[in-house]
Amino acid sequence: MNIEELEKRIKELSSLFQIESFINQPVKSLSLGQRMKCEMVASLLHNPKVLFFDEPTIGLDPIAKDTLRKLIKKINKELKT
């Protein structure tokens, strides 16, 4: 993945998880839900072949939970992850 693709992916995922307003803040200043969103974005950046989740929706609001579930289904269908 080149720099342009990576930047596009970051923009896409940060918009999807609505983390643009705090993406550059130190982790220690984020709430649990904000950290979880950032961790999801970081784990999905490089389009991994396999993902292992341990309570991925803990700390997320209902909208973010729904977004994550839909995204996982989409990635599974499109990329066979």
Side-chain angles (χ1 to χ4, degrees):
M1 180 177 288
N2 64 36
I3 275 287
E4 292 85 25
E5 291 171 336
L6 183 59
E7 288 175 352
K8 180 182 175 192
R9 185 77 172 150
I10 290 170
K11 187 173 183 176
E12 174 187 313
L13 290 170
S14 64
S15 175
L16 185 66
F17 283 96
Q18 300 176 346
I19 64 169
E20 301 98 333
S21 63
F22 54 85
I23 195 167
N24 293 315
Q25 285 184 312
V27 174
K28 65 181 180 180
S29 69
L30 300 177
S31 70
L32 174 61
Q34 290 171 327
R35 282 195 314 266
M36 293 302 292
K37 288 179 181 182
C38 290
E39 288 178 14
M40 282 297 135
V41 169
S43 69
L44 296 169
L45 275 181
H46 297 48
N47 294 321
K49 297 290 181 197
V50 177
L51 286 170
F52 292 97
F53 291 121
D54 180 23
E55 300 186 47
T57 61
I58 196 166
L60 296 181
D61 59 83
I63 294 170
K65 287 180 183 185
D66 186 53
T67 299
L68 177 61
R69 289 183 181 119
K70 287 178 181 176
L71 179 63
I72 291 170
K73 287 178 185 177
K74 178 182 173 194
I75 290 170
N76 177 251
K77 185 177 182 179
E78 293 176 1
L79 304 175
K80 306 295 185 228
T81 300

